Amino acid sequence: MKVGILGGGQLGRMLALAGYPLGFRFRFLDPAADAPAGHLAELVVAPYDDPAGLERFAAGLDVATYEFENVPAAAAAYLTDHVVVFPPRRALEVGQDRLAEKECFRSLGIPTSPFRAVDDLEGLRRAVEELGLPAVLKTRRLGYDGKGQYVLREPADIDRAWEAIGGVPLLLEGFVAFDRELSILAVRGRDGATAFYPLVENRHEEGILRLTTAPAPGLDPALQRAAETLAGRVLAEFDYVGVLAIELFQRGDELLANELAPRVHNSGHWTIEGAETSQFENHLRAICGLPLGATAPRGHVAMINLIGTIPDAAAVLAIPGAHLHLYGKAPRPRRKVGHVTVLADDPETLRRRVEAVIALL
Amino acid sequence: MKVGILGGGQLGRMLALAGYPLGFRFRFLDPAADAPAGHLAELVVAPYDDPAGLERFAAGLDVATYEFENVPAAAAAYLTDHVVVFPPRRALEVGQDRLAEKECFRSLGIPTSPFRAVDDLEGLRRAVEELGLPAVLKTRRLGYDGKGQYVLREPADIDRAWEAIGGVPLLLEGFVAFDRELSILAVRGRDGATAFYPLVENRHEEGILRLTTAPAPGLDPALQRAAETLAGRVLAEFDYVGVLAIELFQRGDELLANELAPRVHNSGHWTIEGAETSQFENHLRAICGLPLGATAPRGHVAMINLIGTIPDAAAVLAIPGAHLHLYGKAPRPRRKVGHVTVLADDPETLRRRVEAVIALL
């Protein structure tokens, strides 16, 4: 089985590491010659919308997938014409557009924060009137890790926000006083079988995921069921195949859907050591038509992102239960260069070990 | 950190898979262009004793290691002159020679089966007189997976055995009525720290390992301590760095050492999912000067070798607790093409799952 992956970043790299034991071969397409996945698989270096590059990439693949949702429409069209591609293209298209995401959630009866599409300054004023302040203005496309967002706290911020990120299709989201950020990873096989990982709690700093705790502390089984129900609806809506991540806000016993990612997700990295089957292996099993693996967690798990700098490896590995994952990327400010997974048998031990890791950063 | 590995088979491949998350890069040397490790790392294709190949292999490495003990002396000499190599060369030399192994064990006060060196037919007759029959005649060098062995049951077998494998330095081993075959994996860091995996039970068929159960069923803590003590002596003797495997016979509460392998070992494949830190990661941690990882098992674990044929992947993965490992090798009779690891919370569940895997072979 030869698997093609669009994007050779750390997600692609971890997909390949999970897939080699299944006997798969991998080919990546990435514009960067030093893409992390290129260290351990065939890499076609070309822009994503380069026809010759796409042709070389697609030749002889049994199945193709992607590690990021901002796949150019032309690339997606070429691939779906030439090779079996999962997840399905419509999930990709919805996942590229924050407005389409929100409308998709609404159409499936899944609560979201209040939102308005914003196409011009006049529309932004109107949206602020309707939703009130504070609110967050976001670009509909190409936002990630807090990029393409502007928080409005007072009326004077309207012009500032427009100046900062206006001129492209936007979305204004009303403020939600949520308790915490959660996410759920769901996976659906070619045969329609589904599996769900436990809800995890995510902490962000400056818009970048810093810490995931799995399962989410104090997780109520009813909340897990609710999350699986809503994720199941999204999977069914797209006739989805592969891993899907949904970011959620918890407000009391209510879940509001925030974003979906039609791919493996940073908040699922804990599954490599922390679950019976990792998100990466389950994504590959799904798109290759193999049975899904068990998603049960192994005790209490945390994932700490390494952002901008790489700590001393020996110091990390000396912490009991700690597992180091480096992506082979040169450190730069705000760049995810690795993560540390920490396992423990109880929440208190986990907390101490996480603190020991964070003290090294 | 750039790690060079002599030998690009499945052991090397699994070393690389364990090492990429630590941020390491890998280069392999193997005479076969289709060596399994070449799918996922740089591969220098050359005979092991080819000076130009060795030079290309060694250039710029931070550390080198090997995945098999029959490294030609010239290759070992070149490497130790040009790069840091672990495990140490003397362990390699002893591991290449069944007689030196046995003498090493004896010199460390570690019991073995009775043995005699055999250099000619006359010597074989004398050895049979001294040790009695049955006995096993083995080549001192280059034996593996039951190759280079001949079982003598009656006096007439003496000439037959000599005809079959005579003409090279040999070893006659007296018969030992052992209860079962065990092995222990030990690891020692550059700083002298040691760690030991639990004793495992191994079942062979036609000289090839078929099934490893970890920990060995009914493992007595006193037996584990005895095994750690004897393995610790071998580690200290060689000022060893890396993973070392020792094959043992259990007879009552006594352990007899049979062979040592100065490398990661087939009877340790269960550690990938079945232990907190795999033998592959611990070998790399050791040779790279990083702290050793925890060796505790995760419940009850079995490893079933896939020999000669590859079962249906979907059927294997549908078995709860089963993890598939394929090596990217074309199936051939008696060739190890992969393994399946099975995890369970109790021995009875493990037994049922192992039977389900074996039914697919």
Side-chain angles (χ1 to χ4, degrees):
Chain A
M1 183 76 88
K2 183 119 187 183
V3 180
I5 301 180
L6 221 62
Q10 61 264 26
L11 299 177
R13 178 176 159 109
M14 289 186 276
L15 281 166
L17 287 172
Y20 279 121
L22 298 174
F24 300 159
R25 304 287 293 261
F26 292 91
R27 185 187 295 144
F28 288 86
L29 177 65
D30 198 291
D34 64 346
H39 301 173
L40 47 85
E42 189 187 337
L43 174 68
V44 175
V45 180
Y48 293 119
D49 52 5
D50 172 48
L54 283 165
E55 195 181 331
R56 270 189 296 147
F57 170 69
L61 294 181
D62 294 297
V63 61
T65 188
Y66 41 85
E67 59 139 34
F68 66 112
E69 56 270 46
N70 293 316
V71 176
Y78 178 89
L79 284 183
T80 47
D81 284 351
H82 290 79
V83 60
V84 177
V85 183
F86 292 116
R89 193 161 151 195
R90 198 164 76 80
L92 193 70
E93 287 163 0
V94 170
Q96 288 181 349
D97 182 341
R98 290 181 197 278
L99 180 64
E101 277 176 6
K102 290 274 198 292
E103 286 172 343
C104 168
F105 289 135
R106 285 286 172 95
S107 74
L108 296 171
I110 300 167
T112 69
S113 56
F115 64 89
R116 292 290 183 280
V118 169
D119 293 315
D120 51 34
L121 186 56
E122 212 31 61
L124 176 57
R125 289 190 211 285
R126 214 164 39 237
V128 168
E129 256 170 53
E130 289 172 19
L131 300 182
L133 290 179
V136 188
L137 189 66
K138 298 179 175 180
T139 59
R140 279 174 55 179
R141 292 179 169 273
L142 299 174
Y144 70 98
D145 287 351
K147 292 176 188 176
Q149 302 201 6
Y150 198 102
V151 179
L152 288 76
R153 300 182 194 283
E154 49 177 45
D157 286 333
I158 292 176
D159 287 322
R160 292 183 199 125
W162 182 256
E163 225 166 277
I165 61 171
V168 293
L170 298 164
L171 180 77
L172 188 73
E173 287 182 28
F175 179 73
V176 176
F178 59 83
D179 305 325
R180 57 177 178 173
E181 295 179 71
L182 303 175
S183 60
I184 186 161
L185 284 167
V187 57
R188 186 167 179 274
R190 284 199 191 187
D191 61 355
T194 58
F196 303 90
Y197 290 90
L199 277 166
V200 299
E201 179 181 315
N202 300 315
R203 301 242 177 120
H204 292 79
E205 283 172 31
E206 300 175 28
I208 305 177
L209 181 64
R210 293 277 164 167
L211 173 68
T212 293
T213 308
L219 177 57
D220 183 337
L223 201 71
Q224 177 69 23
R225 282 193 300 274
E228 292 186 9
T229 300
L230 74 84
R233 270 184 233 157
V234 178
L235 292 176
E237 166 69 14
F238 293 117
D239 195 14
Y240 198 86
V241 175
V243 163
L244 170 85
I246 303 180
E247 295 183 36
L248 303 155
F249 298 129
Q250 179 180 1
R251 188 171 59 183
D253 55 6
E254 187 189 19
L255 291 172
L256 304 177
N258 181 38
E259 280 184 32
L260 67 82
R263 54 168 169 82
V264 290
H265 193 255
N266 195 169
S267 71
H269 292 0
W270 65 275
T271 59
I272 295 177
E273 291 89 6
E276 283 189 40
T277 314
S278 79
Q279 66 166 343
F280 301 102
E281 180 172 341
N282 256 337
H283 183 73
L284 292 169
R285 288 196 193 196
I287 67 170
C288 295
L290 293 170
L292 304 181
T295 52
R298 287 178 173 146
H300 297 265
V301 192
M303 189 285 309
I304 300 118
N305 266 338
L306 302 177
I307 300 169
T309 55
I310 295 174
D312 178 54
V316 170
L317 295 174
I319 297 169
H323 297 266
L324 180 63
H325 296 261
L326 298 177
Y327 306 149
K329 293 161 77 172
R332 280 208 303 258
R334 294 179 57 83
R335 192 181 210 200
K336 292 174 184 170
V337 291
H339 71 268
V340 177
T341 304
V342 183
L343 278 74
D345 290 333
D346 60 87
E348 177 52 27
T349 306
L350 183 68
R351 191 189 59 73
R352 278 201 313 272
R353 291 177 177 179
V354 167
E355 278 177 11
V357 173
I358 289 172
L360 298 173
L361 306 182
Chain B
M1 182 78 85
K2 182 121 188 180
V3 180
I5 301 181
L6 222 61
Q10 63 264 25
L11 298 177
R13 179 176 158 111
M14 289 186 275
L15 280 166
L17 288 172
Y20 279 121
L22 298 174
F24 299 159
R25 305 286 293 261
F26 292 90
R27 184 188 295 145
F28 288 86
L29 176 65
D30 199 290
D34 64 347
H39 302 174
L40 49 85
E42 188 187 338
L43 174 67
V44 176
V45 180
Y48 293 120
D49 52 5
D50 173 48
L54 283 165
E55 194 180 331
R56 270 188 296 146
F57 170 70
L61 294 181
D62 294 298
V63 63
T65 189
Y66 41 86
E67 59 140 33
F68 66 112
E69 56 270 47
N70 294 317
V71 177
Y78 178 89
L79 284 182
T80 47
D81 284 351
H82 291 80
V83 60
V84 176
V85 183
F86 292 118
R89 193 163 151 193
R90 198 163 78 77
L92 193 69
E93 287 162 0
V94 169
Q96 288 180 350
D97 182 342
R98 291 181 197 275
L99 179 64
E101 278 176 5
K102 290 274 197 295
E103 286 172 343
C104 168
F105 289 136
R106 286 286 171 96
S107 76
L108 296 171
I110 299 167
T112 68
S113 57
F115 64 89
R116 293 289 184 280
V118 169
D119 292 316
D120 49 35
L121 184 57
E122 212 30 62
L124 175 56
R125 291 190 208 285
R126 214 164 39 237
V128 168
E129 256 169 52
E130 290 173 18
L131 300 182
L133 291 179
V136 188
L137 189 66
K138 298 180 175 178
T139 58
R140 280 173 56 180
R141 292 179 170 274
L142 298 174
Y144 71 98
D145 286 352
K147 294 177 187 175
Q149 301 200 9
Y150 198 102
V151 180
L152 289 77
R153 300 182 194 282
E154 49 177 47
D157 286 334
I158 292 175
D159 287 323
R160 291 184 199 124
W162 182 257
E163 226 167 274
I165 61 173
V168 293
L170 298 165
L171 180 77
L172 188 75
E173 286 181 30
F175 179 73
V176 176
F178 58 82
D179 306 325
R180 57 177 177 174
E181 294 179 71
L182 303 174
S183 61
I184 185 160
L185 285 166
V187 56
R188 187 167 179 273
R190 283 198 192 188
D191 61 355
T194 58
F196 303 90
Y197 289 90
L199 277 167
V200 300
E201 180 181 313
N202 300 315
R203 300 240 179 122
H204 292 78
E205 283 173 31
E206 301 176 26
I208 305 177
L209 181 65
R210 293 274 163 169
L211 173 68
T212 293
T213 308
L219 178 57
D220 182 337
L223 201 71
Q224 177 69 23
R225 282 195 299 274
E228 293 186 9
T229 301
L230 74 84
R233 270 184 232 157
V234 178
L235 292 176
E237 167 69 15
F238 293 117
D239 196 14
Y240 198 87
V241 175
V243 163
L244 170 85
I246 303 180
E247 295 183 36
L248 302 156
F249 298 130
Q250 180 180 359
R251 187 171 59 182
D253 55 5
E254 188 189 19
L255 291 172
L256 304 178
N258 181 38
E259 281 184 31
L260 66 82
R263 53 169 169 81
V264 290
H265 193 257
N266 195 171
S267 72
H269 292 0
W270 66 274
T271 58
I272 295 176
E273 291 90 6
E276 283 189 40
T277 315
S278 78
Q279 67 165 342
F280 302 102
E281 180 171 343
N282 256 338
H283 183 73
L284 292 169
R285 288 195 193 198
I287 68 171
C288 295
L290 294 169
L292 304 181
T295 52
R298 286 176 173 148
H300 297 265
V301 192
M303 188 286 308
I304 300 118
N305 267 339
L306 303 176
I307 300 169
T309 55
I310 296 173
D312 179 55
V316 171
L317 295 174
I319 298 169
H323 297 266
L324 179 63
H325 296 262
L326 298 178
Y327 306 150
K329 292 160 80 172
R332 277 207 304 258
R334 293 177 59 82
R335 192 181 210 199
K336 292 174 183 169
V337 291
H339 72 268
V340 178
T341 303
V342 183
L343 277 74
D345 289 335
D346 60 86
E348 178 51 27
T349 306
L350 183 67
R351 192 189 58 72
R352 278 201 313 271
R353 292 176 176 178
V354 167
E355 278 176 12
V357 173
I358 289 173
L360 298 173
L361 305 183

